[in-house]
Amino acid sequence: MRAKILHIVFVSWALIAGCTTVTAQEDEISALYGKWRAAVESSNIDGYLAVLHEDISLRPPGVLGLDGKAAYGRFLVPVFSSANYAIQIDTPPKITLLGTSAIVEYDYTISRHVVAEATVELQPGALQAATTSAHYIDIVTQDGDGAWRVRLHSWSDSPSPTQ
């Protein structure tokens, strides 16, 4: 009987520990998205790049996109010098963990407020409308230090069908 009770306690503890690990990972990924939104809304390129994997791939709808953190940083310079942004969370990020990677899906409406004196040309894939609602699908992965980073950032021009 005592062995059975110990077995139940051990199995329960293992299940709780496993859930705590999943919850902790989801919390870390959610925090990453909070930092990312804050960087966008404050036009903070360094803060934006801090959440990206070195081998980030940007895949906007209808264009080829770009690869690598350095190229993404160059892409962001005219984006943030030409406008300020506000993000409305339509559907919060849904995280599906896959070991050391995860798929993150969410719906945002992004408002773009052009800076009057900005006369820059945006690269293909940059948001240019005053308001854009989209369904985002990202892949995040843990880097060598265990920190979660966005590895693939993509979206479709319309919100998810479940919204």
Side-chain angles (χ1 to χ4, degrees), residues 4-163:
K4 189 173 189 175
I5 291 172
L6 286 175
H7 177 73
I8 291 170
V9 169
F10 177 74
V11 169
S12 298
W13 177 81
L15 289 172
I16 291 168
C19 290
T20 302
T21 301
V22 168
T23 302
Q25 290 175 330
E26 290 172 344
D27 289 348
E28 289 172 20
I29 294 168
S30 292
L32 174 144
Y33 278 86
K35 290 175 188 174
W36 203 4
R37 286 189 302 271
V40 170
E41 292 184 325
S42 64
S43 299
N44 179 346
I45 293 175
D46 290 336
Y48 191 113
L49 294 175
V51 304
L52 303 181
H53 189 277
E54 286 298 321
D55 297 321
I56 179 70
S57 292
L58 171 65
R59 295 296 180 263
V63 298
L64 292 176
L66 56 87
D67 295 305
K69 201 172 188 177
Y72 208 134
R74 290 188 298 276
F75 171 86
L76 291 174
V77 171
V79 167
F80 287 143
S81 69
S82 66
N84 297 312
Y85 299 85
I87 298 173
Q88 173 186 306
I89 302 170
D90 300 321
T91 304
K94 177 185 171 233
I95 301 163
T96 303
L97 288 167
L98 305 167
T100 59
S101 295
I103 299 169
V104 183
E105 294 188 63
Y106 52 100
D107 296 297
Y108 285 172
T109 297
I110 300 177
S111 300
R112 181 175 182 265
H113 306 283
V114 176
V115 178
E117 61 275 3
T119 56
V120 299
E121 187 173 326
L122 298 175
Q123 294 182 29
L127 299 182
Q128 297 188 30
T131 304
T132 303
S133 293
H135 179 68
Y136 293 83
I137 301 175
D138 299 336
I139 296 176
V140 298
T141 188
Q142 288 182 301
D143 63 15
D145 296 329
W148 290 95
R149 304 275 185 239
V150 179
R151 176 64 179 79
L152 171 68
H153 181 49
S154 64
W155 65 94
S156 62
D157 289 326
S158 59
S160 70
T162 60
Q163 185 183 13

